[in-house]
Amino acid sequence: MTGAKTAVEWLASVAPDPDACRWEWERNPLGVALLPAGSAWDVLILPGALGYATLDVLTRVLDRPGPVLVDFGDARMGFFVPPGTAARWLGTGIRTAGAGTWIVVPYPGRSSPGGVRWLVPPDGSGMLTDPALLELAMHEAAAALATENDG
């Protein structure tokens, strides 16, 4: 299977009806589907500037972080983390999507005409970003952003 195909299968597996999810992705002109968080992954949602700086730190220490989404105008960035993370997360300015929430997910491997897109697409392996590592990267990124703003 190609990476995009396995990624589609992995993402669609959390949908109440995976076949309907794939159908929606194929026919929705925006190329998105609404998927429930909390079973295979949670999402930590960072403000855009902090998200980009955090992703920069992560890519310096990891070969490849878990999937990362970015929304309209790069205002927010979502890092896919293990399920249960959202319920335990404490962090000012960080939104979470966990059990009982749904997120808009673009079709992997295809660019969407606007809105949500993948910065780091899922590879189908189920790899997620370690929340402890993500937190450390956020602290380093926030410190770097504060230094830039002070200078």
Side-chain angles (χ1 to χ4, degrees):
M1 269 197 225
T2 66
K5 178 134 174 74
T6 57
V8 167
E9 297 306 315
W10 178 68
L11 288 167
S13 72
V14 303
D17 183 344
D19 290 333
C21 175
R22 286 187 293 275
W23 187 91
E24 178 70 15
W25 261 329
E26 291 168 6
R27 287 159 185 78
N28 182 321
L30 297 178
V32 298
L34 198 57
L35 294 176
S39 63
W41 34 261
D42 285 356
V43 182
L44 297 182
I45 304 161
L46 283 61
L50 178 60
Y52 274 104
T54 299
L55 183 59
D56 183 55
V57 172
L58 281 175
T59 55
R60 282 189 266 133
V61 296
L62 295 173
D63 286 337
R64 185 182 193 319
V68 180
L69 288 173
V70 67
D71 78 350
F72 310 95
D74 298 346
R76 290 180 296 275
M77 191 176 294
F79 291 81
F80 280 51
V81 293
T85 301
R88 298 184 305 274
W89 191 263
L90 298 174
T92 303
I94 308 302
R95 295 173 46 201
T96 63
T101 61
W102 294 70
I103 65 165
V104 173
V105 178
Y107 188 91
R110 188 184 313 152
S111 57
S112 147
V116 181
R117 68 187 189 283
W118 292 107
L119 282 181
V120 179
D123 62 7
S125 71
M127 181 179 64
L128 302 166
T129 298
D130 177 282
L133 185 59
L134 179 60
E135 183 176 13
L136 291 171
M138 281 192 289
H139 286 291
E140 185 175 326
L145 289 171
T147 301
E148 283 176 17
N149 292 335
D150 287 345

